[in-house]
Amino acid sequence: MYLDKKLINLKDISLARNFIYGISILWIVFYHCALNIPGGFFQTIKAYGDCAVEIFFLLSGCFLYFSYTKNHNVTCFYKKRLKRTLPYYLIFYGIVFVSFNLIINFNPLQFFLNYTMLDFWINGLGNSPWFLAGIIIFYLSYPLIYKIFFEDCKHKKISISLFLIILSVSGTLLSIYIPHLRIFIYRIPIFLIGCLIGKFIYEEKEMKFYHLLILIGFLLVGKILFSYFANISIFRNIYYIPLSLIIVFLLSQLYKFNEKYIKIINTPFEYIGMFTLEIYLTHEKVQENLFRILEFFKINVSFNNQIYQCICISLAILISIGLASLIKFVSELLQKKSSAASV
């Protein structure tokens, strides 16, 4: 039957991983910056930029499955994840927070709250990177998620049902009584969906035509809910779930097409995709603090100035790639010295 026609091998998502990450981070940077490119198309792309954050959480869930399936050692899993996320944050944000919370404005308590990312959990959006604070929670909880959803057990259906009920109730209560956590809580479903899809990608399952029709159906329902209840933020995230999935599927096929005919198009996006977390952490801080520095030196520039915004984007990418490469070099050097000393 035509409905059973195979459209996509989900393995394509794994192959296109850095390409999708690269496009997603540039989308987020465009969303966060004050660049104003004329034209309805670009304004729509910019308005939907936070959908790229959903893609980040989706792919994080997907590829955590790969990592944990290959090695079930929880300690090794945590070390690998924290090694990937924390060194850049500790150095770059350490410089930022020391400069502004200890040198310019001497406030040790605020420095502690910012640097530990507790400020987000206590006060909401501010100086601490909420995305990193949230993704660390997902990393820490992943072994439990894997055990509940993917390991064989006697009462698996009951375990999954209880987990989802507890998660739904606690998430609802937190979103009501601590509303600033909604930006994280509303991303939990897309992360869990990513965890499930990660298994399908790992097993090289295929997306069929009827799967696409179901996704489009959810997309239309989500769009209707979002349109009629725009003041209720959760409906935006519900709408973004099928939208993110469709975008990821389409980008994986675009990558595959480019690899076959015009491979060079993929290269810059793949390269940038290797530094997505670093660019995510860097761009807004560069954009915000460079403006403060210019104001301090009495250099008159408008925050919305297009040249200023382009400089911020370029500088953020250069800092991200440079510092991340330096951290990797030093880490490998120390590892070699450690290995040589132990021989």
Side-chain angles (χ1 to χ4, degrees):
M1 292 178 64
Y2 188 74
L3 290 178
D4 287 328
K5 183 180 178 181
K6 297 173 182 177
L7 294 179
I8 298 171
N9 186 326
L10 295 183
K11 182 183 176 182
D12 294 341
I13 297 174
S14 179
L15 298 175
R17 176 180 181 172
N18 284 334
F19 175 77
I20 299 171
Y21 271 131
I23 289 178
S24 298
I25 191 58
L26 292 176
W27 193 5
I28 289 173
V29 167
F30 182 44
Y31 174 68
H32 283 161
C33 77
L35 278 176
N36 185 20
I37 301 176
F41 172 76
F42 289 106
Q43 294 306 313
T44 301
I45 293 295
K46 187 174 177 65
Y48 279 81
D50 51 338
C51 182
V53 178
E54 313 292 314
I55 293 174
F56 269 31
F57 282 120
L58 174 71
L59 293 182
S60 293
C62 288
F63 296 115
L64 285 180
Y65 182 88
F66 279 61
S67 179
Y68 198 73
T69 299
K70 291 174 183 177
N71 185 354
H72 280 34
N73 186 301
V74 176
T75 302
C76 289
F77 174 78
Y78 285 156
K79 282 182 178 178
K80 188 176 180 180
R81 301 270 65 80
L82 296 178
K83 186 180 177 181
R84 169 70 185 91
T85 55
L86 286 186
Y88 186 91
Y89 168 76
L90 292 174
I91 294 172
F92 181 76
Y93 272 71
I95 294 169
V96 171
F97 291 146
V98 165
S99 300
F100 288 97
N101 295 141
L102 293 182
I103 298 176
I104 297 176
N105 302 306
F106 187 71
N107 191 337
L109 176 59
Q110 191 60 50
F111 171 79
F112 172 77
L113 291 174
N114 287 342
Y115 205 33
T116 58
M117 292 179 275
L118 287 172
D119 187 63
F120 165 68
W121 300 111
I122 297 170
N123 300 313
L125 292 177
N127 293 313
S128 298
W130 78 268
F131 176 85
L132 182 60
I135 207 71
I136 287 174
I137 296 298
F138 287 147
Y139 289 165
L140 294 174
S141 62
Y142 189 78
L144 174 63
I145 292 170
Y146 189 96
K147 185 177 183 63
I148 292 172
F149 283 89
F150 303 120
E151 289 185 358
D152 293 328
C153 63
K154 190 174 180 181
H155 304 292
K156 188 172 182 178
K157 291 182 179 179
I158 296 174
S159 299
I160 292 173
S161 299
L162 283 174
F163 175 78
L164 292 176
I165 289 169
I166 293 169
L167 193 63
S168 299
V169 172
S170 58
T172 301
L173 291 174
L174 285 171
S175 65
I176 292 171
Y177 294 106
I178 315 178
H180 68 254
L181 294 184
R182 289 173 186 170
I183 194 171
F184 166 71
I185 293 168
Y186 291 170
R187 263 66 184 227
I188 294 175
I190 192 73
F191 175 75
L192 293 178
I193 290 169
C195 295
L196 181 61
I197 291 176
K199 184 177 189 298
F200 296 153
I201 296 172
Y202 189 80
E203 295 173 353
E204 298 186 19
K205 301 287 187 183
E206 294 185 322
M207 180 181 178
K208 297 182 179 179
F209 185 71
Y210 73 87
H211 293 142
L212 179 60
L213 290 180
I214 292 171
L215 262 183
I216 291 172
F218 278 117
L219 182 70
L220 293 174
V221 171
K223 178 62 176 174
I224 292 169
L225 290 172
F226 173 51
S227 299
Y228 282 93
F229 302 98
N231 59 322
I232 305 176
S233 57
I234 192 172
F235 287 120
R236 186 180 186 92
N237 296 94
I238 290 172
Y239 170 49
Y240 279 173
I241 290 174
L243 181 61
S244 300
L245 286 166
I246 290 172
I247 289 171
V248 166
F249 294 148
L250 290 176
L251 288 178
S252 71
Q253 297 312 292
L254 177 61
Y255 174 83
K256 189 175 181 179
F257 175 85
N258 290 342
E259 282 293 287
K260 188 174 181 179
Y261 298 106
I262 36 179
K263 189 174 181 178
I264 193 171
I265 291 178
N266 289 341
T267 305
F269 295 110
E270 284 184 288
Y271 184 71
I272 289 174
M274 295 166 59
F275 304 96
T276 49
L277 180 63
E278 291 83 359
I279 295 171
Y280 191 104
L281 292 175
T282 305
H283 175 247
E284 279 194 293
K285 285 301 173 189
V286 168
Q287 183 178 236
E288 169 190 335
N289 293 316
L290 179 59
F291 190 74
R292 289 185 188 177
I293 293 168
L294 292 174
E295 278 190 324
F296 180 79
F297 286 103
K298 310 294 185 188
I299 299 173
N300 187 24
V301 63
S302 169
F303 185 82
N304 295 326
N305 183 277
Q306 304 299 288
I307 296 175
Y308 172 75
Q309 289 296 323
C310 288
I311 290 172
C312 289
I313 293 169
S314 302
L315 193 58
I317 292 174
L318 289 173
I319 291 171
S320 302
I321 294 173
L323 183 55
S325 300
L326 179 62
I327 291 170
K328 183 180 179 182
F329 172 76
V330 172
S331 176
E332 289 174 351
L333 190 64
L334 292 173
Q335 194 172 359
K336 284 180 181 178
K337 285 188 176 182
S338 177
S339 299
S342 62
V343 173

PDB file of all heavy atoms in Angstrom, residues 116-147:
ATOM      1  N   THR A 116      26.876  29.005  39.723  1.00  0.00           N
ATOM      2  CA  THR A 116      26.338  27.659  39.972  1.00  0.00           C
ATOM      3  C   THR A 116      25.037  27.415  39.207  1.00  0.00           C
ATOM      4  O   THR A 116      24.480  26.317  39.276  1.00  0.00           O
ATOM      5  CB  THR A 116      26.068  27.454  41.474  1.00  0.00           C
ATOM      6  OG1 THR A 116      25.144  28.458  41.920  1.00  0.00           O
ATOM      7  CG2 THR A 116      27.352  27.525  42.270  1.00  0.00           C
ATOM      8  N   MET A 117      24.537  28.431  38.526  1.00  0.00           N
ATOM      9  CA  MET A 117      23.283  28.388  37.764  1.00  0.00           C
ATOM     10  C   MET A 117      22.056  28.258  38.661  1.00  0.00           C
ATOM     11  O   MET A 117      20.945  28.017  38.189  1.00  0.00           O
ATOM     12  CB  MET A 117      23.295  27.288  36.701  1.00  0.00           C
ATOM     13  CG  MET A 117      24.270  27.552  35.581  1.00  0.00           C
ATOM     14  SD  MET A 117      24.337  26.268  34.316  1.00  0.00           S
ATOM     15  CE  MET A 117      25.497  25.118  35.033  1.00  0.00           C
ATOM     16  N   LEU A 118      22.260  28.419  39.980  1.00  0.00           N
ATOM     17  CA  LEU A 118      21.124  28.408  40.902  1.00  0.00           C
ATOM     18  C   LEU A 118      20.218  29.606  40.657  1.00  0.00           C
ATOM     19  O   LEU A 118      19.021  29.559  40.967  1.00  0.00           O
ATOM     20  CB  LEU A 118      21.619  28.419  42.351  1.00  0.00           C
ATOM     21  CG  LEU A 118      22.237  27.119  42.871  1.00  0.00           C
ATOM     22  CD1 LEU A 118      22.846  27.341  44.252  1.00  0.00           C
ATOM     23  CD2 LEU A 118      21.193  26.011  42.924  1.00  0.00           C
ATOM     24  N   ASP A 119      20.780  30.667  40.124  1.00  0.00           N
ATOM     25  CA  ASP A 119      20.000  31.880  39.884  1.00  0.00           C
ATOM     26  C   ASP A 119      18.815  31.603  38.961  1.00  0.00           C
ATOM     27  O   ASP A 119      17.735  32.159  39.155  1.00  0.00           O
ATOM     28  CB  ASP A 119      20.898  32.969  39.272  1.00  0.00           C
ATOM     29  CG  ASP A 119      20.177  34.305  39.170  1.00  0.00           C
ATOM     30  OD1 ASP A 119      19.799  34.855  40.214  1.00  0.00           O
ATOM     31  OD2 ASP A 119      19.975  34.784  38.026  1.00  0.00           O
ATOM     32  N   PHE A 120      19.014  30.743  37.978  1.00  0.00           N
ATOM     33  CA  PHE A 120      17.893  30.420  37.086  1.00  0.00           C
ATOM     34  C   PHE A 120      16.797  29.693  37.837  1.00  0.00           C
ATOM     35  O   PHE A 120      15.613  30.025  37.715  1.00  0.00           O
ATOM     36  CB  PHE A 120      18.358  29.564  35.911  1.00  0.00           C
ATOM     37  CG  PHE A 120      17.211  28.913  35.180  1.00  0.00           C
ATOM     38  CD1 PHE A 120      16.317  29.678  34.451  1.00  0.00           C
ATOM     39  CD2 PHE A 120      16.990  27.536  35.272  1.00  0.00           C
ATOM     40  CE1 PHE A 120      15.231  29.094  33.794  1.00  0.00           C
ATOM     41  CE2 PHE A 120      15.912  26.946  34.616  1.00  0.00           C
ATOM     42  CZ  PHE A 120      15.035  27.724  33.880  1.00  0.00           C
ATOM     43  N   TRP A 121      17.169  28.683  38.629  1.00  0.00           N
ATOM     44  CA  TRP A 121      16.159  27.888  39.332  1.00  0.00           C
ATOM     45  C   TRP A 121      15.430  28.718  40.392  1.00  0.00           C
ATOM     46  O   TRP A 121      14.251  28.489  40.659  1.00  0.00           O
ATOM     47  CB  TRP A 121      16.811  26.667  39.982  1.00  0.00           C
ATOM     48  CG  TRP A 121      17.482  25.777  38.987  1.00  0.00           C
ATOM     49  CD1 TRP A 121      18.815  25.563  38.832  1.00  0.00           C
ATOM     50  CD2 TRP A 121      16.840  24.988  37.967  1.00  0.00           C
ATOM     51  NE1 TRP A 121      19.060  24.699  37.790  1.00  0.00           N
ATOM     52  CE2 TRP A 121      17.860  24.324  37.244  1.00  0.00           C
ATOM     53  CE3 TRP A 121      15.516  24.773  37.591  1.00  0.00           C
ATOM     54  CZ2 TRP A 121      17.603  23.474  36.174  1.00  0.00           C
ATOM     55  CZ3 TRP A 121      15.250  23.918  36.524  1.00  0.00           C
ATOM     56  CH2 TRP A 121      16.273  23.281  35.836  1.00  0.00           C
ATOM     57  N   ILE A 122      16.128  29.713  40.969  1.00  0.00           N
ATOM     58  CA  ILE A 122      15.518  30.535  42.023  1.00  0.00           C
ATOM     59  C   ILE A 122      14.763  31.738  41.449  1.00  0.00           C
ATOM     60  O   ILE A 122      13.622  32.015  41.836  1.00  0.00           O
ATOM     61  CB  ILE A 122      16.596  31.033  43.015  1.00  0.00           C
ATOM     62  CG1 ILE A 122      17.232  29.839  43.727  1.00  0.00           C
ATOM     63  CG2 ILE A 122      15.994  32.003  44.038  1.00  0.00           C
ATOM     64  CD1 ILE A 122      18.462  30.192  44.551  1.00  0.00           C
ATOM     65  N   ASN A 123      15.400  32.421  40.500  1.00  0.00           N
ATOM     66  CA  ASN A 123      14.853  33.701  40.015  1.00  0.00           C
ATOM     67  C   ASN A 123      14.369  33.686  38.572  1.00  0.00           C
ATOM     68  O   ASN A 123      13.709  34.630  38.140  1.00  0.00           O
ATOM     69  CB  ASN A 123      15.911  34.803  40.172  1.00  0.00           C
ATOM     70  CG  ASN A 123      16.338  34.977  41.611  1.00  0.00           C
ATOM     71  OD1 ASN A 123      15.502  35.054  42.501  1.00  0.00           O
ATOM     72  ND2 ASN A 123      17.651  35.024  41.850  1.00  0.00           N
ATOM     73  N   GLY A 124      14.719  32.663  37.818  1.00  0.00           N
ATOM     74  CA  GLY A 124      14.296  32.611  36.421  1.00  0.00           C
ATOM     75  C   GLY A 124      15.356  33.166  35.483  1.00  0.00           C
ATOM     76  O   GLY A 124      16.542  33.237  35.818  1.00  0.00           O
ATOM     77  N   LEU A 125      14.922  33.559  34.300  1.00  0.00           N
ATOM     78  CA  LEU A 125      15.841  34.056  33.286  1.00  0.00           C
ATOM     79  C   LEU A 125      16.598  35.278  33.793  1.00  0.00           C
ATOM     80  O   LEU A 125      16.019  36.170  34.388  1.00  0.00           O
ATOM     81  CB  LEU A 125      15.081  34.423  32.006  1.00  0.00           C
ATOM     82  CG  LEU A 125      14.462  33.258  31.227  1.00  0.00           C
ATOM     83  CD1 LEU A 125      13.679  33.785  30.042  1.00  0.00           C
ATOM     84  CD2 LEU A 125      15.529  32.288  30.754  1.00  0.00           C
ATOM     85  N   GLY A 126      17.876  35.281  33.534  1.00  0.00           N
ATOM     86  CA  GLY A 126      18.717  36.384  33.976  1.00  0.00           C
ATOM     87  C   GLY A 126      20.114  36.202  33.437  1.00  0.00           C
ATOM     88  O   GLY A 126      20.310  36.119  32.226  1.00  0.00           O
ATOM     89  N   ASN A 127      21.066  36.070  34.335  1.00  0.00           N
ATOM     90  CA  ASN A 127      22.455  35.954  33.930  1.00  0.00           C
ATOM     91  C   ASN A 127      22.882  34.520  33.641  1.00  0.00           C
ATOM     92  O   ASN A 127      23.738  34.271  32.802  1.00  0.00           O
ATOM     93  CB  ASN A 127      23.371  36.544  35.010  1.00  0.00           C
ATOM     94  CG  ASN A 127      23.191  38.047  35.139  1.00  0.00           C
ATOM     95  OD1 ASN A 127      23.163  38.756  34.145  1.00  0.00           O
ATOM     96  ND2 ASN A 127      23.055  38.530  36.361  1.00  0.00           N
ATOM     97  N   SER A 128      22.309  33.563  34.358  1.00  0.00           N
ATOM     98  CA  SER A 128      22.703  32.166  34.185  1.00  0.00           C
ATOM     99  C   SER A 128      22.075  31.574  32.922  1.00  0.00           C
ATOM    100  O   SER A 128      20.932  31.898  32.591  1.00  0.00           O
ATOM    101  CB  SER A 128      22.272  31.339  35.397  1.00  0.00           C
ATOM    102  OG  SER A 128      22.912  31.795  36.563  1.00  0.00           O
ATOM    103  N   PRO A 129      22.804  30.704  32.218  1.00  0.00           N
ATOM    104  CA  PRO A 129      22.269  30.098  30.985  1.00  0.00           C
ATOM    105  C   PRO A 129      21.246  29.011  31.302  1.00  0.00           C
ATOM    106  O   PRO A 129      21.613  27.914  31.735  1.00  0.00           O
ATOM    107  CB  PRO A 129      23.523  29.523  30.314  1.00  0.00           C
ATOM    108  CG  PRO A 129      24.461  29.239  31.434  1.00  0.00           C
ATOM    109  CD  PRO A 129      24.189  30.259  32.492  1.00  0.00           C
ATOM    110  N   TRP A 130      19.984  29.306  31.107  1.00  0.00           N
ATOM    111  CA  TRP A 130      18.932  28.366  31.475  1.00  0.00           C
ATOM    112  C   TRP A 130      19.029  27.071  30.677  1.00  0.00           C
ATOM    113  O   TRP A 130      18.726  25.982  31.202  1.00  0.00           O
ATOM    114  CB  TRP A 130      17.548  28.994  31.272  1.00  0.00           C
ATOM    115  CG  TRP A 130      17.103  29.027  29.834  1.00  0.00           C
ATOM    116  CD1 TRP A 130      17.292  30.023  28.939  1.00  0.00           C
ATOM    117  CD2 TRP A 130      16.404  27.987  29.133  1.00  0.00           C
ATOM    118  NE1 TRP A 130      16.764  29.681  27.714  1.00  0.00           N
ATOM    119  CE2 TRP A 130      16.218  28.436  27.806  1.00  0.00           C
ATOM    120  CE3 TRP A 130      15.930  26.727  29.496  1.00  0.00           C
ATOM    121  CZ2 TRP A 130      15.572  27.657  26.837  1.00  0.00           C
ATOM    122  CZ3 TRP A 130      15.289  25.957  28.532  1.00  0.00           C
ATOM    123  CH2 TRP A 130      15.106  26.426  27.220  1.00  0.00           C
ATOM    124  N   PHE A 131      19.467  27.169  29.415  1.00  0.00           N
ATOM    125  CA  PHE A 131      19.541  25.968  28.580  1.00  0.00           C
ATOM    126  C   PHE A 131      20.526  24.967  29.179  1.00  0.00           C
ATOM    127  O   PHE A 131      20.235  23.763  29.258  1.00  0.00           O
ATOM    128  CB  PHE A 131      19.963  26.342  27.156  1.00  0.00           C
ATOM    129  CG  PHE A 131      20.152  25.152  26.259  1.00  0.00           C
ATOM    130  CD1 PHE A 131      19.073  24.596  25.589  1.00  0.00           C
ATOM    131  CD2 PHE A 131      21.401  24.577  26.088  1.00  0.00           C
ATOM    132  CE1 PHE A 131      19.237  23.483  24.770  1.00  0.00           C
ATOM    133  CE2 PHE A 131      21.579  23.477  25.271  1.00  0.00           C
ATOM    134  CZ  PHE A 131      20.494  22.921  24.612  1.00  0.00           C
ATOM    135  N   LEU A 132      21.690  25.450  29.588  1.00  0.00           N
ATOM    136  CA  LEU A 132      22.685  24.551  30.169  1.00  0.00           C
ATOM    137  C   LEU A 132      22.199  23.989  31.499  1.00  0.00           C
ATOM    138  O   LEU A 132      22.381  22.799  31.781  1.00  0.00           O
ATOM    139  CB  LEU A 132      24.015  25.296  30.355  1.00  0.00           C
ATOM    140  CG  LEU A 132      25.174  24.468  30.907  1.00  0.00           C
ATOM    141  CD1 LEU A 132      25.485  23.294  29.981  1.00  0.00           C
ATOM    142  CD2 LEU A 132      26.414  25.325  31.102  1.00  0.00           C
ATOM    143  N   ALA A 133      21.573  24.841  32.312  1.00  0.00           N
ATOM    144  CA  ALA A 133      21.021  24.372  33.586  1.00  0.00           C
ATOM    145  C   ALA A 133      20.008  23.252  33.346  1.00  0.00           C
ATOM    146  O   ALA A 133      19.987  22.248  34.072  1.00  0.00           O
ATOM    147  CB  ALA A 133      20.366  25.531  34.325  1.00  0.00           C
ATOM    148  N   GLY A 134      19.185  23.410  32.304  1.00  0.00           N
ATOM    149  CA  GLY A 134      18.169  22.410  31.988  1.00  0.00           C
ATOM    150  C   GLY A 134      18.764  21.141  31.418  1.00  0.00           C
ATOM    151  O   GLY A 134      18.373  20.024  31.808  1.00  0.00           O
ATOM    152  N   ILE A 135      19.723  21.276  30.521  1.00  0.00           N
ATOM    153  CA  ILE A 135      20.284  20.092  29.865  1.00  0.00           C
ATOM    154  C   ILE A 135      21.069  19.248  30.851  1.00  0.00           C
ATOM    155  O   ILE A 135      21.115  18.020  30.743  1.00  0.00           O
ATOM    156  CB  ILE A 135      21.158  20.495  28.638  1.00  0.00           C
ATOM    157  CG1 ILE A 135      21.183  19.354  27.602  1.00  0.00           C
ATOM    158  CG2 ILE A 135      22.570  20.849  29.040  1.00  0.00           C
ATOM    159  CD1 ILE A 135      19.914  19.133  26.880  1.00  0.00           C
ATOM    160  N   ILE A 136      21.670  19.886  31.867  1.00  0.00           N
ATOM    161  CA  ILE A 136      22.373  19.125  32.907  1.00  0.00           C
ATOM    162  C   ILE A 136      21.390  18.269  33.698  1.00  0.00           C
ATOM    163  O   ILE A 136      21.687  17.113  34.040  1.00  0.00           O
ATOM    164  CB  ILE A 136      23.172  20.076  33.831  1.00  0.00           C
ATOM    165  CG1 ILE A 136      24.405  20.607  33.083  1.00  0.00           C
ATOM    166  CG2 ILE A 136      23.600  19.364  35.113  1.00  0.00           C
ATOM    167  CD1 ILE A 136      25.181  21.656  33.844  1.00  0.00           C
ATOM    168  N   ILE A 137      20.200  18.808  33.967  1.00  0.00           N
ATOM    169  CA  ILE A 137      19.156  18.015  34.642  1.00  0.00           C
ATOM    170  C   ILE A 137      18.775  16.813  33.786  1.00  0.00           C
ATOM    171  O   ILE A 137      18.620  15.693  34.298  1.00  0.00           O
ATOM    172  CB  ILE A 137      17.910  18.875  34.931  1.00  0.00           C
ATOM    173  CG1 ILE A 137      18.241  19.995  35.917  1.00  0.00           C
ATOM    174  CG2 ILE A 137      16.760  18.019  35.467  1.00  0.00           C
ATOM    175  CD1 ILE A 137      18.707  19.517  37.272  1.00  0.00           C
ATOM    176  N   PHE A 138      18.652  17.005  32.496  1.00  0.00           N
ATOM    177  CA  PHE A 138      18.334  15.889  31.595  1.00  0.00           C
ATOM    178  C   PHE A 138      19.462  14.858  31.589  1.00  0.00           C
ATOM    179  O   PHE A 138      19.202  13.647  31.581  1.00  0.00           O
ATOM    180  CB  PHE A 138      18.094  16.400  30.175  1.00  0.00           C
ATOM    181  CG  PHE A 138      16.779  17.123  30.003  1.00  0.00           C
ATOM    182  CD1 PHE A 138      16.656  18.174  29.103  1.00  0.00           C
ATOM    183  CD2 PHE A 138      15.659  16.754  30.722  1.00  0.00           C
ATOM    184  CE1 PHE A 138      15.445  18.833  28.929  1.00  0.00           C
ATOM    185  CE2 PHE A 138      14.442  17.401  30.563  1.00  0.00           C
ATOM    186  CZ  PHE A 138      14.336  18.449  29.669  1.00  0.00           C
ATOM    187  N   TYR A 139      20.699  15.321  31.590  1.00  0.00           N
ATOM    188  CA  TYR A 139      21.836  14.395  31.645  1.00  0.00           C
ATOM    189  C   TYR A 139      21.797  13.555  32.922  1.00  0.00           C
ATOM    190  O   TYR A 139      21.978  12.333  32.882  1.00  0.00           O
ATOM    191  CB  TYR A 139      23.157  15.166  31.604  1.00  0.00           C
ATOM    192  CG  TYR A 139      23.501  15.793  30.272  1.00  0.00           C
ATOM    193  CD1 TYR A 139      24.498  16.765  30.188  1.00  0.00           C
ATOM    194  CD2 TYR A 139      22.838  15.438  29.096  1.00  0.00           C
ATOM    195  CE1 TYR A 139      24.829  17.358  28.972  1.00  0.00           C
ATOM    196  CE2 TYR A 139      23.153  16.023  27.887  1.00  0.00           C
ATOM    197  CZ  TYR A 139      24.153  16.987  27.826  1.00  0.00           C
ATOM    198  OH  TYR A 139      24.480  17.566  26.632  1.00  0.00           O
ATOM    199  N   LEU A 140      21.570  14.220  34.042  1.00  0.00           N
ATOM    200  CA  LEU A 140      21.576  13.524  35.330  1.00  0.00           C
ATOM    201  C   LEU A 140      20.431  12.516  35.437  1.00  0.00           C
ATOM    202  O   LEU A 140      20.575  11.470  36.076  1.00  0.00           O
ATOM    203  CB  LEU A 140      21.488  14.536  36.476  1.00  0.00           C
ATOM    204  CG  LEU A 140      22.701  15.468  36.643  1.00  0.00           C
ATOM    205  CD1 LEU A 140      22.428  16.510  37.719  1.00  0.00           C
ATOM    206  CD2 LEU A 140      23.956  14.674  36.974  1.00  0.00           C
ATOM    207  N   SER A 141      19.302  12.829  34.812  1.00  0.00           N
ATOM    208  CA  SER A 141      18.128  11.954  34.919  1.00  0.00           C
ATOM    209  C   SER A 141      18.100  10.870  33.847  1.00  0.00           C
ATOM    210  O   SER A 141      17.284   9.943  33.936  1.00  0.00           O
ATOM    211  CB  SER A 141      16.842  12.789  34.834  1.00  0.00           C
ATOM    212  OG  SER A 141      16.751  13.451  33.587  1.00  0.00           O
ATOM    213  N   TYR A 142      18.992  10.951  32.846  1.00  0.00           N
ATOM    214  CA  TYR A 142      18.881  10.033  31.709  1.00  0.00           C
ATOM    215  C   TYR A 142      19.030   8.556  32.089  1.00  0.00           C
ATOM    216  O   TYR A 142      18.262   7.719  31.573  1.00  0.00           O
ATOM    217  CB  TYR A 142      19.872  10.389  30.598  1.00  0.00           C
ATOM    218  CG  TYR A 142      19.594   9.563  29.361  1.00  0.00           C
ATOM    219  CD1 TYR A 142      18.537   9.890  28.513  1.00  0.00           C
ATOM    220  CD2 TYR A 142      20.321   8.413  29.075  1.00  0.00           C
ATOM    221  CE1 TYR A 142      18.219   9.114  27.425  1.00  0.00           C
ATOM    222  CE2 TYR A 142      20.018   7.628  27.980  1.00  0.00           C
ATOM    223  CZ  TYR A 142      18.965   7.983  27.149  1.00  0.00           C
ATOM    224  OH  TYR A 142      18.651   7.202  26.062  1.00  0.00           O
ATOM    225  N   PRO A 143      19.985   8.158  32.950  1.00  0.00           N
ATOM    226  CA  PRO A 143      20.061   6.734  33.312  1.00  0.00           C
ATOM    227  C   PRO A 143      18.738   6.186  33.846  1.00  0.00           C
ATOM    228  O   PRO A 143      18.368   5.047  33.556  1.00  0.00           O
ATOM    229  CB  PRO A 143      21.161   6.705  34.383  1.00  0.00           C
ATOM    230  CG  PRO A 143      22.050   7.842  34.012  1.00  0.00           C
ATOM    231  CD  PRO A 143      21.112   8.918  33.537  1.00  0.00           C
ATOM    232  N   LEU A 144      18.007   7.004  34.634  1.00  0.00           N
ATOM    233  CA  LEU A 144      16.700   6.578  35.143  1.00  0.00           C
ATOM    234  C   LEU A 144      15.703   6.470  33.993  1.00  0.00           C
ATOM    235  O   LEU A 144      14.929   5.501  33.917  1.00  0.00           O
ATOM    236  CB  LEU A 144      16.196   7.567  36.190  1.00  0.00           C
ATOM    237  CG  LEU A 144      14.772   7.322  36.717  1.00  0.00           C
ATOM    238  CD1 LEU A 144      14.692   5.973  37.434  1.00  0.00           C
ATOM    239  CD2 LEU A 144      14.343   8.449  37.654  1.00  0.00           C
ATOM    240  N   ILE A 145      15.701   7.452  33.096  1.00  0.00           N
ATOM    241  CA  ILE A 145      14.802   7.420  31.935  1.00  0.00           C
ATOM    242  C   ILE A 145      15.065   6.173  31.098  1.00  0.00           C
ATOM    243  O   ILE A 145      14.134   5.478  30.674  1.00  0.00           O
ATOM    244  CB  ILE A 145      14.983   8.695  31.079  1.00  0.00           C
ATOM    245  CG1 ILE A 145      14.488   9.924  31.842  1.00  0.00           C
ATOM    246  CG2 ILE A 145      14.245   8.575  29.741  1.00  0.00           C
ATOM    247  CD1 ILE A 145      14.836  11.249  31.184  1.00  0.00           C
ATOM    248  N   TYR A 146      16.332   5.883  30.849  1.00  0.00           N
ATOM    249  CA  TYR A 146      16.709   4.706  30.056  1.00  0.00           C
ATOM    250  C   TYR A 146      16.221   3.425  30.726  1.00  0.00           C
ATOM    251  O   TYR A 146      15.671   2.535  30.069  1.00  0.00           O
ATOM    252  CB  TYR A 146      18.226   4.671  29.886  1.00  0.00           C
ATOM    253  CG  TYR A 146      18.707   3.624  28.909  1.00  0.00           C
ATOM    254  CD1 TYR A 146      18.977   3.956  27.584  1.00  0.00           C
ATOM    255  CD2 TYR A 146      18.903   2.298  29.304  1.00  0.00           C
ATOM    256  CE1 TYR A 146      19.423   3.000  26.678  1.00  0.00           C
ATOM    257  CE2 TYR A 146      19.341   1.338  28.416  1.00  0.00           C
ATOM    258  CZ  TYR A 146      19.602   1.696  27.107  1.00  0.00           C
ATOM    259  OH  TYR A 146      20.039   0.734  26.209  1.00  0.00           O
ATOM    260  N   LYS A 147      16.408   3.353  32.046  1.00  0.00           N
ATOM    261  CA  LYS A 147      16.000   2.157  32.786  1.00  0.00           C
ATOM    262  C   LYS A 147      14.489   1.940  32.699  1.00  0.00           C
ATOM    263  O   LYS A 147      14.020   0.816  32.501  1.00  0.00           O
ATOM    264  CB  LYS A 147      16.426   2.298  34.255  1.00  0.00           C
ATOM    265  CG  LYS A 147      16.159   1.071  35.112  1.00  0.00           C
ATOM    266  CD  LYS A 147      16.677   1.277  36.525  1.00  0.00           C
ATOM    267  CE  LYS A 147      16.471   0.024  37.373  1.00  0.00           C
ATOM    268  NZ  LYS A 147      17.228  -1.134  36.881  1.00  0.00           N
TER     269      LYS A 147
END
